[in-house]
Amino acid sequence: MAFRKPPDGGWGWVIVVVSFFTQFLCYGSPLAVGVLYLEWLDAFGEGKGKTAWVGSLANGIGLLASPVCSICVSSFGARPVAIFSGFMVAGGLMMSSFAPNIYFLYVSYGIVVGLGCGLLYTATVTITCQYFDKRRGLALGLISTGSSVGLFIYAALQRELIELYGLDGCLLIVGALSLNILACGSLMRPLESSSSPPPEKMFVDKVPDQYFVYHEKEKTVEENISILEKGYIDEKSVNNVPDCKQDSILNKNALSSINVNEKDTYKKKVVEQTNFCKQLAKRKWQLYLTYWKETMVLFKNKVFSALFVAILLFDIGGFPPSLLMEDVARSANISEDDYYMPLISIIGIMTTVGKLILGILADFKWVNTLYLYVTTLLMTGVALFAIPFAKSYLTLAMLSGILGFLTGNWSIFPYVTTKTVGIEKLTHAYGILMFFAGLGNSLGPPIVGWFYDWTQEYNTAFYFSGFCVLLGGFLLLLAALPCWNACTNQSSKLPPNTYSYKVASNA
């Protein structure tokens, strides 16, 4: 399919609006799952670690399945995928209201809703990139705030709905709201070129050359049959011998020669098809080998290797507060009268602010994006170490705001990845990093919950989380120090498409 030049406006702004609301509607409940987490603890009586798997799967499965999501959007288009995923998210939320146990929630809320969110995220980003080129950064920044605004609003909304209608009624209403994704998806008009070739021509052009070889051979067989039949008729008319025996002999000879030709042709077809399949399999195998070779080349870059460890440890340690902060407040015996706003709502609104401010800072030439990202990691680790000492709503609210702001470093993560591996390898490298980010999202909350189940307090759990984030930050900082470039000439050993991160003022 051919696409026009991105208009950088026009219907593209409609795409931005509907993509914003799509992320708002699909990610609102999964990101604010901490409110539901408390209700599931009371309803099913399972351990905190086992219950935390529901929210961690909902937020991590989309990243883990990002390659599958990309293939679906590339194959079917953004609009069909968005509409189908809207049914998935809404259906998963509604099914969760009838969950008889925690294991049912693993599938209905964790996998179905999580996979639907992953598909919708890929669809919104893809369609937005098709409509914008010069203003692509602005457009992507606007739609990415939809999930953070959804976290802010859904945290308070779900709490209110639980008080009015109970947990089951809350999930049914939130699922019904998610059906508005279908309306948003229907407006994601593909950017097709009006001068594209007609479908018939495109179909013919895509037919393998091997097909025409087979077609010509089949045509040759048909011509041979017609020639034999014509020769037999002419000979019979010339001789005019009404001898049944002669007719049967000629018939038999003709059929035998036809059968021989057909068998030869069939054997040739089988041989050629077998060779074609072998060549196709060999070509695919070469592609897989190339992919793994390129992956190994990426990991030879010390900064990329440190970045992969840092994002994994950051999500293991930095994601649990957004899921468990409400339970931390309840465990600290904070009175509900002191609750002016859900802590998850504070995290959501400050994440939006953090994405915008950190994104703006990354555009300044004098700011080194890698050092900026490392700074957010180190500050996140310190904030996580401070959570066990917070015994009031005010201190927990301040820490929630700080953690939310620092979590906005997702907006500069693509900048860091691009500077590390180059624009040519960005897609490959970013897919690998997002897979490990999803793995961290999936493992973080259950690990913190298991620490609580073992120790019956959150202090050890958040010390562990803070240690993970600090370790990732220090490893990334050490890998990016300029002294490495002075000691080793690593950048010359790497292919031109992959280079070491050189710390400079204009990074």
Side-chain angles (χ1 to χ4, degrees), residues 310-322 324 380-381 384-385 387 403 440-441 443-445 447-448 461-470:
I311 191 66
L312 176 63
L313 294 177
F314 172 74
D315 280 279
I316 289 177
F319 177 66
S322 62
L324 303 174
T380 300
L384 290 170
F385 271 114
I387 289 179
L403 288 171
N441 274 348
L443 295 178
I447 290 175
V448 172
F462 282 105
Y463 290 149
F464 170 79
S465 297
F467 173 76
C468 287
V469 178
L470 284 176

Side-chain angles (χ1 to χ4, degrees), residues 370-436:
L370 181 61
Y371 282 169
L372 179 62
Y373 184 74
V374 169
T375 302
T376 61
L377 295 183
L378 299 179
M379 292 178 66
T380 300
V382 173
L384 290 170
F385 271 114
I387 289 179
F389 301 98
K391 302 299 180 182
S392 65
Y393 174 81
L394 181 60
T395 53
L396 282 176
M398 292 175 60
L399 288 174
S400 298
I402 293 172
L403 288 171
F405 179 86
L406 296 173
T407 306
N409 63 7
W410 276 99
S411 63
I412 63 174
F413 190 72
Y415 286 77
V416 178
T417 308
T418 304
K419 283 290 184 180
T420 303
V421 301
I423 191 65
E424 297 86 357
K425 299 289 184 181
L426 176 61
T427 303
H428 186 182
Y430 200 71
I432 295 172
L433 294 173
M434 287 302 98
F435 175 83
F436 285 101

Side-chain angles (χ1 to χ4, degrees), residues 168 212 489:
D168 298 343
F212 294 105
N489 192 17

